Amino acid sequence: MLSVGDDAPDFELSDQHGETVSLSEFSGDRVVLYFYPRADTPGCTTEACGFRDSIEAFEERGVHVLGVSDDPVSDLESFADEYDLPFKLLSDESGEVAAAYDSYGEKNMFGNTFDGVFRNTYVIGPEGTIERAYEGVSPEGHAEAILDDIDA
């Protein structure tokens, strides 16, 4: 995991509409960058809908929400449409950005080993440094917990 005070690695990824998004375009603003394993699976849907349901609270605090997975753009588009997600979902098919954030690597599920995205979240401050880091988060209530921490 990156630590509080570390510089957040910049990146350029395509969002669910195929438009290029870079972290540097949010310079001067706070960003919640959350990594999730797979679009339209139960835990990832719970997490995304938590951010969706709290988006006004994030916006009131001037915080942008960005979700990152290794799904292709087409999967992100259908996921965002199905659940009316009002924030950018970013496609990191190579896992390079997730790896730069210590959120990609070997996973084991049902006896199978594969590389994938870990469920981690970072709050990135206006100067581009990590303000908070959450490792292996639980999807339920995660958005609210971040809001509580931002307010603290």
Side-chain angles (χ1 to χ4, degrees), residues 10 15 26-27 34 62-63 68 71 83 85 107 111 122-123 144-145:
D10 197 14
D15 71 6
F26 298 97
S27 180
Y34 83 96
V63 179
V68 180
D71 293 302
Y83 294 99
L85 303 177
K107 299 173 80 172
Y122 293 94
V123 176
E144 294 84 4

Side-chain angles (χ1 to χ4, degrees), residues 42-105:
C44 297
T45 299
T46 296
E47 187 174 24
C49 290
F51 283 112
R52 177 200 64 201
D53 296 345
S54 299
I55 198 67
E56 286 182 20
F58 282 102
E59 290 173 348
E60 288 169 1
R61 291 160 178 80
V63 179
H64 303 275
V65 175
L66 303 174
V68 180
S69 72
D70 59 359
D71 293 302
V73 168
S74 59
D75 288 359
L76 298 180
E77 182 177 34
S78 60
F79 182 47
D81 288 347
E82 181 174 353
Y83 294 99
D84 197 27
L85 303 177
F87 49 86
K88 296 179 184 296
L89 299 177
L90 306 178
S91 175
D92 181 25
E93 287 189 80
S94 69
E96 287 181 36
V97 172
Y101 281 85
D102 297 326
S103 297
Y104 191 85

